[in-house]
Amino acid sequence: MTYVRYGLVFAVVALGAALAVKILNTTTDNVLGSSAQLMVPAMIAALIEGQQFARAHKRRPRSAEIWGFVWVATLIAVVLNVALAFGAGGLAPVFGRLAIAAASVQQFALLLGIYAGGYLICNRFFAGIGAGNQLSVMRNRGELE
């Protein structure tokens, strides 16, 4: 599993979803977007990493492999979350909500901890789903025994 690819996919999905929501909000009278938008980049990035692992190794990741990935990926997601909050809060207001609290305040740490927990769960769950789906596709194509 490639951490650089995970980070790039996370950032592109986060900014792309934020841009899409912003465009939809300006062209319609509805207000779209929710806190769930924070987790979608991790879901998609972990799904892709699980698929790529299965494609390369022709098996599911072992417990130690997947948890090793999940911890590092969660750290990457948290760092990117903070970067998006302070660097692209205008474009990605859902991420910008983290920047409302000063970084030294307990509220900031609590929010970041909640986000980290969500990223941990999403990374673990969706990396497994991605690997399982890719193996099913490979079996259906006859690429696996």
Side-chain angles (χ1 to χ4, degrees), residues 18 20 31 42 66 75 81 84 123 132 135 143:
V31 177
I66 201 162
L75 179 63
N81 188 328
L84 288 167
N123 286 329
L135 290 172
E143 297 172 17

Side-chain angles (χ1 to χ4, degrees), residues 6 10 38-39 42 70-86 95 98 108-109 111-120 123:
Y6 175 89
F10 184 100
L38 291 168
M39 296 300 137
V70 165
W71 289 111
V72 175
T74 298
L75 179 63
I76 292 168
V78 168
V79 168
L80 288 172
N81 188 328
V82 172
L84 288 167
F86 289 101
F95 286 92
L98 179 64
F108 181 84
L111 283 172
L112 207 53
I114 291 169
Y115 295 162
Y119 290 140
L120 183 81
N123 286 329

Side-chain angles (χ1 to χ4, degrees), residues 9-24:
V9 169
F10 184 100
V12 167
V13 170
L15 291 172
L19 184 60
V21 167
K22 191 169 191 161
I23 290 170
L24 287 171

Side-chain angles (χ1 to χ4, degrees), residues 15-107:
L15 291 172
L19 184 60
V21 167
K22 191 169 191 161
I23 290 170
L24 287 171
N25 284 341
T26 58
T27 58
T28 65
D29 290 334
N30 297 329
V31 177
L32 301 174
S34 73
S35 295
Q37 190 178 339
L38 291 168
M39 296 300 137
V40 171
M43 292 174 183
I44 294 173
L47 188 76
I48 289 171
E49 290 308 311
Q51 289 173 331
Q52 294 302 318
F53 182 91
R55 187 175 291 148
H57 299 281
K58 299 189 184 333
R59 63 174 174 81
R60 286 184 174 272
R62 293 183 188 98
S63 182
E65 291 170 321
I66 201 162
W67 278 109
F69 163 75
V70 165
W71 289 111
V72 175
T74 298
L75 179 63
I76 292 168
V78 168
V79 168
L80 288 172
N81 188 328
V82 172
L84 288 167
F86 289 101
L91 174 65
V94 173
F95 286 92
R97 290 182 192 149
L98 179 64
I100 292 171
S104 62
V105 176
Q106 187 176 6
Q107 179 186 9

